[in-house]
Amino acid sequence: MIQIADIREWREHDVVDVDGKKIGTMESVYVDTASDEPSFATVIVGLPTRRRLVFVPLGGAQVGPGYLKVAFVKSLVKNAPAIDTDGVLPAEQEPDVFAHYQLKYLPGAGGERRLARR
């Protein structure tokens, strides 16, 4: 399991896909509010004038020297739900992030959000 203390150090490191192809640069980490464990990362993608942040799950991710390798192919990640580089993921879009990767989405017992940015 990737530790939250370690992942904070990876900001601005390359994020590569399962085949080692660069996807973009890591921007931030979202933790699962139920466990406070790293759950998703946001990755900066796009041209300099049209940058956006896409979400990618951290399950199965591996750390290497200067990069984070995720368990998904580049095309799937680049087409994931995105926000502006200074944006915030709206609560109503959380299920879409999980669905994109065919992951089960369960809100908190009281209906609270599942992801929190760290």
Side-chain angles (χ1 to χ4, degrees):
M1 173 54 79
I2 295 173
Q3 299 299 315
I4 190 71
D6 298 331
I7 206 164
R8 286 182 182 142
E9 297 172 12
W10 303 333
R11 190 166 191 259
E12 299 183 6
H13 280 59
D14 288 345
V15 175
V16 299
D17 76 356
V18 69
D19 297 320
K21 296 176 188 168
K22 183 176 177 182
I23 298 169
T25 306
M26 190 172 128
E27 193 274 335
S28 65
V29 175
Y30 280 73
V31 298
D32 184 326
T33 57
S35 65
D36 206 37
E37 293 292 327
S39 183
F40 282 83
T42 53
V43 181
I44 301 169
V45 298
L47 301 171
T49 57
R50 295 180 11 184
R51 294 210 188 275
R52 67 191 196 288
L53 299 174
V54 294
F55 289 81
V56 63
L58 291 173
Q62 300 173 349
V63 180
Y67 69 87
L68 173 67
K69 181 185 274 190
V70 295
F72 300 91
V73 295
K74 182 177 182 176
S75 59
L76 181 65
V77 177
K78 286 199 141 195
N79 290 315
I83 58 175
D84 292 333
T85 55
D86 59 351
V88 175
L89 179 66
E92 62 273 6
Q93 288 182 1
E94 277 189 2
D96 299 337
V97 172
F98 284 78
H100 181 77
Y101 294 100
Q102 299 180 351
L103 299 172
K104 188 173 183 178
Y105 178 77
L106 296 171
E112 63 270 3
R113 295 187 71 150
R114 194 56 200 281
L115 298 175
R117 186 176 179 177
R118 292 280 193 262

